[in-house]
Amino acid sequence: MEVIVQTDADRAAYLTALLIADKIRNKPDLVLGLATGRTMEQVYAHLARFHKRDGLDFSLCRTFNLDEYVGVPPESAASYRYYMNQHLFSRVNIDPRNTNLPDGMATNLKAACQQYESRIRACGGIDLQLLGIGTAGHIGFNEPLSAMQSRTRDKSLTRATLEQNAPMFGGNPDLVPRRALTMGVGTILEARHLILVATGAQKSEIIAKAVEGPITAMVSASAIQFHADCKVIVDEIAAAGLQGRDYYRWIYENEPDWDPYRALMSAYKPTA
Ligand code: GLP
């Protein structure tokens, strides 16, 4: 695992977008795993800018989202399908037929989850999976005690998640759906590369547990420690609880692999 600390949330999002853009340029038919949440909005805004400004081409990309609420139709502004259309799909040249989210409206949820896994396999597996982290340590909607080998399935959401996601439901946790379909921890670990992004004070404690704490099903994000190619990109505030942050900074400053990115980051000027 590599932990990259950036000064602020916008720079963390920009670096993440640069890494994704490079993967797309190297493999135009990339199978990209996507995440939702406020943290990702900035990442998608940068990708949309790369498309508009530099012609970053999504036309052959296939995408698989981590999760979707059960019982929220795709046209509802609270669905993750709606979120993805709004923040990314409508802003780049992706073919909508190449975009996939678990079907939370399916009459047979179990069958829908199995089909999702089959579709991922049929595309040759996920090349790069983007991850956020919930305050209870979930990746996707893998709430505490999710098995490390779990596959796409439906999960009951914890109170902490209902509260964290309430803003999309008028601020009322009781209006957040109780269940969601999510890729499993095992599904996520099979992706060839992982990038987990976390920003803000709310994430500092859980990032320290996920990155440096024991691997435990109580913090499903700690499963990233098993992965052979995982980058964790955080801002200073989210990095505050990390014991090794000076070492992580040193790696970013000195590893030749990061040279081109450091150059791009120093030239970066935030828009507005
Ligand atoms: C939701 C998603 C997660 C995401 C999390 C983080 O719960 N299901 O996949 O990681 O939000 O959200 P935010 O970026 O808003 O903190």
Side-chain angles (χ1 to χ4, degrees):
M1 191 197 305
E2 277 179 292
V3 180
I4 309 301
V5 185
Q6 292 294 312
T7 45
D8 57 59
D10 181 50
R11 297 179 82 82
Y14 184 68
L15 177 59
T16 306
L18 287 176
L19 290 165
I20 298 170
D22 278 351
K23 289 272 187 229
I24 296 174
R25 284 191 199 100
N26 288 337
K27 184 179 187 242
D29 62 344
L30 193 77
V31 181
L32 183 56
L34 297 171
T36 52
R38 277 151 289 187
T39 316
M40 295 305 155
E41 289 177 16
Q42 295 186 62
V43 175
Y44 298 146
H46 284 299
L47 286 176
R49 236 169 268 137
F50 293 166
H51 168 68
K52 204 169 160 199
R53 194 190 60 194
D54 314 324
L56 181 64
D57 183 10
F58 288 79
S59 62
L60 299 176
C61 273
R62 281 88 41 93
T63 67
F64 286 90
N65 265 78
L66 285 166
D67 45 19
E68 179 61 283
Y69 291 113
V70 169
V72 179
E75 12 357 297
S76 159
S79 74
Y80 283 169
R81 165 58 79 175
Y82 189 98
Y83 170 106
M84 289 311 305
N85 288 342
Q86 185 190 15
H87 291 289
L88 186 67
F89 299 156
S90 65
R91 301 168 72 187
V92 299
N93 65 334
I94 196 156
D95 182 341
R97 289 169 304 184
N98 287 340
T99 65
N100 300 276
L101 280 91
D103 181 4
M105 295 299 286
T107 37
N108 185 339
L109 293 175
K110 207 169 170 184
C113 291
Q114 279 165 1
Q115 278 160 17
Y116 202 63
E117 292 272 338
S118 311
R119 272 215 300 282
I120 294 173
R121 271 196 305 277
C123 282
I126 293 170
D127 291 307
L128 169 63
Q129 178 66 56
L130 197 54
L131 298 169
I133 186 169
T135 46
H138 68 209
I139 42 177
F141 270 132
N142 290 287
E143 300 290 37
L145 289 188
S146 289
M148 295 289 175
Q149 295 188 358
S150 50
R151 313 301 309 185
T152 305
R153 70 216 182 288
D154 72 301
K155 283 295 287 177
S156 292
L157 304 179
T158 58
R159 189 72 200 164
T161 299
L162 300 182
E163 277 162 18
Q164 200 196 323
N165 291 0
M168 283 311 292
F169 295 85
N172 183 354
D174 294 329
L175 297 181
V176 181
R178 291 283 176 278
R179 290 194 306 154
L181 302 187
T182 179
M183 278 187 205
V185 180
T187 321
I188 293 168
L189 289 179
E190 278 172 15
R192 291 177 191 96
H193 308 277
L194 300 180
I195 300 182
L196 188 149
V197 192
T199 58
Q202 211 197 2
K203 301 289 171 70
S204 63
E205 202 181 323
I206 197 64
I207 272 295
K209 281 189 186 157
V211 170
E212 295 176 339
I215 297 175
T216 165
M218 283 304 288
V219 178
S220 66
S222 66
I224 61 171
Q225 296 179 36
F226 282 124
H227 200 280
D229 189 328
C230 175
K231 293 179 176 51
V232 175
I233 302 183
V234 286
D235 65 355
E236 291 280 359
I237 310 175
L242 291 168
Q243 310 260 321
R245 57 184 191 280
D246 291 342
Y247 171 58
Y248 311 146
R249 276 201 199 94
W250 189 89
I251 291 177
Y252 176 69
E253 291 303 330
N254 292 283
E255 280 285 340
D257 281 357
W258 288 106
D259 287 351
Y261 294 100
R262 278 201 313 278
L264 289 166
M265 291 308 299
S266 359
Y268 173 58
K269 293 204 182 30
T271 45

